[in-house]
């Protein structure tokens, strides 16, 4: 058996395989209930013996409680929430329309700039424009 020890406290063990920075021990020093009762820090490895840790305290996990949510108590509150969601949806749709219009305008401007660039290139090829020296 191999055990991983830190400050004489046994953190983990392996019957088969290996653990990094572990110590190989003889099976005859392992208490009979070690494997069934093992928890990190419950046992100590001291003077080449495995003994119970006198200072060990059981760690109690706190249960995870669901978040407390307030539920609407009547139909009027539900209707109000629904109306607010509809307003938000209309606002979002208006924003999407504005962004779409801005995209279309930008696309038109890009096309116009490309056309101007092509016109300038064409004038250079015809020799109508004198290049800068």
């Amino acid at each position: 058996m191999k055990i991983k020890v830190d400050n004489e406290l046994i953190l983990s063990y392996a019957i088969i395989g290996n653990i990094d920075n572990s110590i190989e021990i003889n099976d005859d020093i392992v208490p009979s209930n070690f494997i069934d009762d093992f928890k990190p820090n419950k046992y100590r490895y001291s003077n080449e013996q495995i003994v119970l840790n006198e200072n060990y305290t059981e760690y109690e996990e706190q249960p995870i409680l669901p978040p407390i949510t307030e539920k609407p108590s009547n139909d009027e509150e539900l209707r109000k929430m629904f109306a607010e969601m509809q307003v938000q949806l209309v606002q979002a749709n208006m924003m999407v329309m504005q962004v779409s219009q801005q995209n279309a305008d930008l696309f038109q401007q890009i096309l116009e700039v490309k056309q101007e660039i092509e016109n300038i290139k064409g004038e250079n090829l015809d020799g109508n424009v004198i290049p800068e020296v």
Side-chain angles (χ1 to χ4, degrees), residues 54-76:
E54 313 82 40
N55 299 325
Y56 177 75
T57 55
E58 205 52 48
Y59 173 73
E60 292 184 29
E61 289 188 27
Q62 297 294 325
I64 299 173
L65 300 174
I68 298 172
T69 57
E70 294 183 23
K71 297 179 183 174
S73 60
N74 60 32
D75 286 344
E76 186 59 38

Side-chain angles (χ1 to χ4, degrees), residues 48-124:
E48 297 184 6
Q49 295 294 319
I50 296 178
V51 294
L52 274 173
N53 178 8
E54 313 82 40
N55 299 325
Y56 177 75
T57 55
E58 205 52 48
Y59 173 73
E60 292 184 29
E61 289 188 27
Q62 297 294 325
I64 299 173
L65 300 174
I68 298 172
T69 57
E70 294 183 23
K71 297 179 183 174
S73 60
N74 60 32
D75 286 344
E76 186 59 38
E77 290 181 35
L78 286 173
R79 290 174 197 208
K80 183 179 177 184
M81 289 173 57
F82 184 73
E84 289 173 358
M85 290 172 57
Q86 284 181 322
V87 168
Q88 290 174 357
L89 183 61
V90 169
Q91 290 172 344
N93 285 337
M94 288 175 56
M95 289 174 55
V96 167
M97 287 175 31
Q98 289 173 350
V99 169
S100 296
Q101 185 60 45
Q102 289 173 353
N103 283 343
D105 293 344
L106 289 172
F107 185 72
Q108 183 63 37
Q109 290 175 359
I110 289 172
L111 288 177
E112 290 171 5
V113 168
K114 282 185 176 181
Q115 186 62 40
E116 285 296 319
I117 291 173
E118 290 299 321
N119 289 343
I120 292 171
K121 285 182 180 178
E123 290 175 6
N124 282 339

Side-chain angles (χ1 to χ4, degrees), residues 2-26:
K2 293 187 177 188
I3 57 173
K4 184 170 185 172
V5 178
D6 184 29
N7 293 330
E8 293 189 352
L9 297 175
I10 301 176
L11 304 177
S12 59
Y13 71 93
I15 298 171
I16 299 172
N18 191 16
I19 301 175
D20 290 339
N21 303 320
S22 61
I23 302 170
E24 179 100 26
I25 60 168
N26 292 327

